[in-house]
Amino acid sequence: MIISYSTIHSRTAISNSFLHLFTQAVIDGIPNNAKGPAIPAKGYLVQHIRGGVYWLIGGAYQTMFMVSNEGVIAIDAPPAIGKNYLKAISEVTDKVVTHVVYSHDHLDHIGSAGNFPKDAVYVAHRLVAKSLSVAKAAAQNTSSLPTVPSRTFRKKLLLIVGNQTLHLDYHGINHSPGNTFIYAPKQKVLMLCDVVYPGWFPFDELAYARDIAGFIKAHDTILTYDFQTFIGGHVSRLGTRRDVEVQKDYVSDLHSAAHQALNGTRLAHSSIDSWKDKTEFLKAAEQFCLKIMLRKNWTKKLGGSSILPSNCHKMIMATRIEPLVAVT
Ligand SMILES: [Zn+2]
């Protein structure tokens, strides 16, 4: 079936029924599978995972830190957690932070690194360090930016601190250049930010992924690791292998829906305003995609369904213009 935007109005009744279903899915709230532990009134929750690896969550952001017999390895520094990061560490150990690892260069994940000791060793992928050093060079006030890491790597780095070991692996661009797989092999804990959202839809525009082909591929790469616990950087709870598999299925369905939406929607050049024609075309394609995803019951399986139209939009745009996404 081909839908041109000029026929959309004649299909209003059908469109409205789907919009009603979508609106109802949003009103129905989040499935139990998306819910995590209650966050105490102090604004954060810190829990031991295994073997000196701790999980820290506050303000819809989450991260992890490792306690060794020589000091603490802190991963990221989300401003949403801010100074509570150091409070959380002090609840479980009297060791100081000796190493700080950045998962990627986004300031919503590392913007509070200035709270950590200046003499700690700061570690990140070289693209992350380069991004921060370019920003520092351009900044009027460099104090607003996190410390530029001095210890960097291109493909992998084995970080050994006392009795703890952490693997930092780079498998190419996905969410952002330099986004790093952070793996604690002894504890079987894997962290990768802004790709998999356990129990939830991926954030707006597939979390603003810079490379959708890399974003799709990252799901398979995650599953090559021997992990029991996954930390995605956001939302309400820890993840499992099953959560990664579920999101892989979701992304596969979304990719297929985007192909079908593009094949089933025609761009009509009937207006003198080319951008209006394009906007109407994309609206029709997004609605096509949304209908397919509603039929597949994803709003019953994942939390945060109000974000689904933006996921459709991002995948449709990627399927239109990114060669590797278009041909797969
Ligand atoms: Zn990010």
Side-chain angles (χ1 to χ4, degrees), residues 60-91:
Y61 280 77
Q62 50 178 284
T63 188
M64 71 180 201
F65 61 89
M66 280 181 107
V67 178
S68 83
N69 57 352
E70 291 185 1
V72 175
I73 308 168
I75 315 296
D76 285 348
I81 296 174
K83 290 185 176 170
N84 283 335
Y85 204 140
L86 286 171
K87 282 188 196 168
I89 291 172
S90 69
E91 283 181 24

Side-chain angles (χ1 to χ4, degrees), residues 104 106 108-109 175 194:
H104 63 308
H106 287 171
D108 63 321
H109 287 267
H175 167 66
D194 291 336

Side-chain angles (χ1 to χ4, degrees), residues 12-254:
T12 301
I14 297 172
S15 301
N16 283 347
S17 72
F18 274 97
L19 284 174
H20 172 73
L21 277 175
F22 176 64
T23 304
Q24 191 60 46
V26 173
I27 291 170
D28 285 346
I30 60 172
N32 284 334
N33 179 49
K35 294 173 183 168
I39 306 298
K42 62 187 178 183
Y44 66 94
L45 177 72
V46 59
Q47 286 183 336
H48 190 218
I49 299 177
R50 284 179 294 281
V53 174
Y54 291 82
W55 174 56
L56 174 59
I57 178 170
Y61 280 77
Q62 50 178 284
T63 188
M64 71 180 201
F65 61 89
M66 280 181 107
V67 178
S68 83
N69 57 352
E70 291 185 1
V72 175
I73 308 168
I75 315 296
D76 285 348
I81 296 174
K83 290 185 176 170
N84 283 335
Y85 204 140
L86 286 171
K87 282 188 196 168
I89 291 172
S90 69
E91 283 181 24
V92 301
T93 180
D94 56 5
K95 295 276 191 300
V96 299
V97 173
T98 56
H99 293 73
V100 180
V101 174
Y102 298 157
S103 63
H104 63 308
D105 68 340
H106 287 171
L107 298 179
D108 63 321
H109 287 267
I110 62 171
S112 287
N115 292 327
F116 293 131
K118 298 267 179 292
D119 61 352
V121 178
Y122 288 76
V123 186
H125 189 270
R126 59 197 290 272
L127 293 174
V128 173
K130 186 178 177 191
S131 165
L132 292 173
S133 62
V134 167
K136 283 243 173 186
Q140 303 274 341
N141 175 11
T142 57
S143 67
S144 62
L145 288 167
T147 301
V148 177
S150 57
R151 190 167 175 193
T152 63
F153 64 99
R154 188 184 294 262
K155 286 208 161 176
K156 51 181 66 207
L157 187 149
L158 185 62
L159 183 63
I160 300 173
V161 181
N163 62 340
Q164 294 287 22
T165 300
L166 208 52
H167 290 247
L168 307 181
D169 299 330
Y170 185 54
H171 297 287
I173 186 171
N174 44 64
H175 167 66
S176 65
N179 198 24
T180 298
F181 288 66
I182 301 167
Y183 179 51
K186 197 167 65 180
Q187 296 84 354
K188 297 196 175 182
V189 177
L190 177 66
M191 177 169 171
L192 178 70
C193 271
D194 291 336
V195 174
V196 173
Y197 295 75
W200 291 75
F201 287 96
F203 188 51
D204 200 28
E205 301 279 328
L206 295 176
Y208 307 108
R210 285 277 294 276
D211 186 301
I212 292 298
F215 174 86
I216 294 170
K217 182 182 157 211
H219 294 75
D220 287 326
T221 309
I222 291 170
L223 292 169
T224 65
Y225 284 81
D226 180 16
F227 70 93
Q228 292 176 7
T229 305
F230 178 82
I231 297 175
H234 283 282
V235 292
S236 55
R237 63 171 175 81
L238 290 167
T240 62
R241 293 188 74 83
R242 181 66 194 138
D243 288 316
V244 179
E245 289 163 355
V246 167
Q247 187 174 301
K248 183 184 168 186
D249 288 346
Y250 166 74
V251 170
S252 175
D253 279 354
L254 188 69

